[in-house]
Amino acid sequence: MPELPEVEHAARVAHDAVQGRVLRAIRGLHPSVLRDGALDAAAALVGRTVQGVRRVAKWQEFTFDDGAVLVVHFRMTGDWAVTATPAPPRHARIHLHFDGDRHLWLVDPRVLGRVQYRAPGALGDVRVGPDAHDSALTPATLRARLAARRIPIKQALLDQRLVAGLGNIYAAEALWHARIHPATPAARLSLARVERLLAGIRWTLDAALTDPGRQAYGESLDRLAVYDREAAPCLRCTAPIRRIVQGQRSTYYCPRCQRA
Ligand SMILES: [Zn+2]
């Protein structure tokens, strides 16, 4: 699944490709994209100019000059392709045609990505917590948000209402950096550990965002410290990394550095 850094990268790609351009056409190329009617509503955007594209948690928002917004979520396998000709790339599901021979394609092998049209002035229905870099998110405020949660910290981190945009991979990475066992009850973390956790979250996301190589699906994840490294030596202490399953998702951690 694309995680926050990948979505941030994708939003920048889309922004650079279409900012200031007029949308000429939008069309679905797969039956399941056409079924929910979102593209019919989005036809109102044709003839409008894109002011910019930004990431909000794992959504991407295309804001048009009349205030309308096209919201895109990649879900599991979505990505953008930009071309100068109208020939669709493999697995293209939605075609956005802009002036100046600019074509933006939602490429999505599993066809799970979603678009949504938001009329001018309408409020988004995206309810998410603060971004990891929000200055209002401090060790104290994060600890207060965790205080009511008895669930393991790893699972709490995946709740987008807690911290927006952290997914399965970076939650595991952040916990390794913070030296916190993924099964630790969220409410039991001391302020000192929450401080390390927040630093770990920010370090992990920053490292991913500044990595010039994009993490494509199925490609090597070797810039990651623990994720998908079961039995490989911990980069900090050389103990073999362990894998456990929490909430049906794999979690990786170092049994020596990350004590419960
Ligand atoms: Zn270790």
Side-chain angles (χ1 to χ4, degrees), residues 74-246:
F74 281 167
R75 305 280 298 279
M76 295 299 284
T77 56
D79 202 355
W80 295 123
V82 181
T83 66
T85 70
R90 190 168 143 83
H91 301 308
R93 307 307 186 195
I94 293 174
H95 176 201
L96 294 144
H97 175 202
F98 293 88
D99 63 350
D101 292 324
R102 188 58 55 91
H103 302 268
L104 184 66
W105 311 84
L106 175 63
V107 173
D108 187 8
R110 290 179 58 184
V111 211
L112 294 165
R114 285 288 170 267
V115 301
Q116 187 185 11
Y117 168 76
R118 196 186 301 158
L123 280 176
D125 56 5
V126 173
R127 287 193 195 89
V128 292
D131 197 87
H133 288 90
D134 192 324
S135 60
L137 191 65
T138 64
T141 57
L142 180 57
R143 191 183 183 210
R145 298 171 80 89
L146 291 169
R149 312 205 183 202
R150 292 183 199 165
I151 55 173
I153 183 60
K154 163 72 190 323
Q155 278 157 283
L157 288 178
L158 297 182
D159 183 343
Q160 301 300 298
R161 292 167 300 180
L162 182 76
V163 180
L166 211 60
N168 198 45
I169 295 173
Y170 296 112
E173 294 292 300
L175 288 169
W176 180 82
H177 278 281
R179 287 172 277 128
I180 295 170
H181 192 287
T184 310
R188 252 194 18 215
L189 291 176
S190 66
L191 187 59
R193 298 179 101 198
V194 173
E195 199 168 346
R196 290 209 310 263
L197 176 59
L198 188 55
I201 291 169
R202 287 173 173 162
W203 193 93
T204 301
L205 293 176
D206 284 350
L209 281 167
T210 52
D211 190 309
R214 182 166 182 208
Q215 174 213 318
Y217 318 116
E219 261 183 26
S220 119
L221 298 169
D222 51 52
R223 67 172 155 74
L224 301 175
V226 280
Y227 188 82
D228 208 19
R229 295 192 66 241
E230 186 176 13
C234 171
L235 300 181
R236 198 162 39 207
C237 77
T238 74
I241 297 300
R242 276 191 200 155
R243 183 180 78 93
I244 53 171
V245 175
Q246 292 178 292

